[in-house]
Amino acid sequence: MGFRKDFLWGGATAANQCEGGYNEGGRGLANVDVVPIGEDRFPVITGKKKMFDFDDEHFYPAKEAIDMYHHWKEDIKLFAEMGFKTYRLSLGWSRIFPQGDETEPNEEGLKFYEDIFKECKKYGIEPLVTITHFDCPMHLVEKYGAWRSRELVGFYENLCNVIFNRYKGLVKYWLTFNEINMILHAPFMGAGLYFEEGDNVEQVKYQAAHHELVASAIATKIAHEVDPENQVGCMLAAGSYYPYTPKPEDVWAGRQEERENYFFIDVQSRGEYPAYALKEMARKGIEVKMEEGDKELLKAHTVDFISFSYYSSRVATTDPELLEQTAGNIFASVKNPYLEASEWGWQIDPLGLRITMNDLYDRYQKPLFIVENGLGAVDTPDENGYVEDDYRIDYLSKHVEAMRDAVDQDGVDLLGYTTWGCIDLVSAGTGEMKKRYGFIYVDRDNQGNGTLKRSKKKSFDWYKKVIATNGEDLSN
Ligand code: P53
């Protein structure tokens, strides 16, 4: 009983939130670089405010981030010390193709990741690679309008051909697009989409989503052709919806919210546009332009496993007053009166993880992989950089327990668990450093001050024990 013998314990990061080195090694500028911290962040990430380059009035946290570009050896060593079986990281697309539309890749960028993968192998750590975690070369944004253009499919295909061949034997687990449903909520950060006056926003988003879905199927095809050992997953920002009341309208509202997210995974895992999505698009006047062969591609190349992030459950309602209070968040949700929340208002619901896992497993009947989960909190280090983060241990142990229940009690097939931001990094939602998830503290603040020194938190030793006992001993 308990987790698989080969359960993949580890942690997760994304290139743009930790690497920095934005102009080093021949790297080109990307959408994720020009996203500032502060009040303009939300308008920029949602594609409403145009910011295609840096200006002097804003601070751009991704430029340096935690400078993993120069610290990766030291960081992987710490992951190994915790006993990581896997490390989830993403590739900076513009490191490998600085402009995005070149035919030949940038050797320095390719080599950078190759060295990282080799270092992982040295410690017996299996890399889990997100091909794109929100990033898109700025040149593709400016010249083609990013994913609104069909041409992006070809550029992405080119990237996939290069990386699957180059990293054959080094990488086996791949995710095509991080939180593919993010395109609906943060279209510039998630897919490089910027909207001009008069754009039909919904139309643009779903057309871009179609391009990503086709690109994802092509990636899956190439991955399997290049190496039959390759395992490809989709990636959903998950979190099941609860109805605010048993009122049938509230229940129905929850179903519809869920379908908005499931849509992507339904295509990637079942291989076709679900009936409800076709009807909804027709109602909204959205016409997705498909090319000949798209349907066959989607059907023939479905994913091997379902990965997802889980931070919280969500609540659906039809009450206009409650709906009023939800505006402004990336994933709008009504407050659940039965749950406590983090300092950033994210509601904490371990049982919700078990519920979400069951919903996904019932629906797809494919192995699951939890590739993000964790608590973003303010940490106060002592003079040695040590943080007593019992709150984080508490959050994680309850979630691991819930996922153990899903495996033990419900029979869900779970491949692994990577906590988000295993080392402190820049927040995607807010751009803050102050919102920390790590087992490893990084000395850097919201304005970019600090020595970048790494130090272990209390949770470091706790997680080490959890991994060593394959999730049996969760005590603090
Ligand atoms: P942060 C919400 C908002 C932005 C990104 O988020 C999100 C979510 C939650 O699903 O997605 C993931 O940094 C994402 C990571 C991100 C993490 O959630 O706002 O894949 O890049 O850092 C946590 O606290």
Side-chain angles (χ1 to χ4, degrees), residues 13-14 16-17 41 45 88 133-134 178-179 181-182 185-186 189 235-238 309-312 314 329-331 344 346 371-377 420-421 425-432 435-437:
T13 62
N16 75 88
Q17 292 171 258
R41 186 174 184 88
I45 65 178
R88 174 179 177 229
H133 191 121
F134 299 153
N178 181 61
E179 296 192 336
N181 51 327
M182 190 59 89
H185 307 275
M189 181 173 76
M235 201 300 197
L236 174 75
S309 60
Y310 175 84
Y311 294 92
S312 185
R314 299 155 183 165
N329 301 318
I330 289 189
F331 279 92
W344 273 265
W346 292 24
V371 297
E372 287 185 30
N373 173 239
L375 178 72
W420 176 248
L425 40 64
V426 176
S427 156
T430 70
E432 292 166 284
K435 190 180 185 190
R436 297 170 184 275
Y437 287 86

Side-chain angles (χ1 to χ4, degrees), residues 456-475:
K456 298 173 195 170
K457 302 181 193 176
K458 188 176 179 187
S459 55
F460 185 101
D461 287 315
W462 172 81
Y463 198 45
K464 186 176 176 174
K465 183 183 65 185
V466 171
I467 297 175
T469 62
N470 202 22
E472 284 302 316
D473 187 355
L474 302 176
S475 64

Side-chain angles (χ1 to χ4, degrees), residues 368-418:
L368 304 183
F369 205 138
I370 301 169
V371 297
E372 287 185 30
N373 173 239
L375 178 72
V378 178
D379 286 337
T380 315
D382 68 12
E383 64 277 11
N384 301 313
Y386 183 74
V387 180
E388 240 173 284
D389 55 346
D390 294 294
Y391 37 91
R392 184 166 292 110
I393 294 172
D394 186 56
Y395 177 100
L396 292 171
S397 60
K398 286 183 174 139
H399 283 77
V400 173
E401 215 173 293
M403 97 191 175
R404 200 167 61 191
D405 287 342
V407 170
D408 266 355
Q409 314 292 326
D410 311 327
V412 170
D413 184 10
L414 184 66
L415 298 173
Y417 176 72
T418 59

Side-chain angles (χ1 to χ4, degrees), residues 93 132 135-136 140 144-150 152-153 156 177 183 190-193 204 207-209 211-213 215:
W93 187 346
T132 54
D135 60 331
C136 180
L140 297 185
Y144 305 90
W147 283 98
R148 63 166 79 208
S149 162
R150 176 82 193 196
L152 269 271
V153 177
Y156 185 88
F177 289 90
I183 194 171
L193 301 178
V204 172
Q207 187 62 55
H211 296 149
E212 289 194 345
L213 291 167

Side-chain angles (χ1 to χ4, degrees), residues 3 12 31 45 63 67 127 137 191 206 235 254 284-285 289 296 310 315 364 456 474:
F3 298 110
N31 60 333
I45 65 178
K63 279 172 117 172
D67 194 30
Y206 277 96
M235 201 300 197
K284 286 183 169 165
K289 194 167 166 273
E296 291 72 19
Y310 175 84
V315 178
Y364 301 113
K456 298 173 195 170
L474 302 176

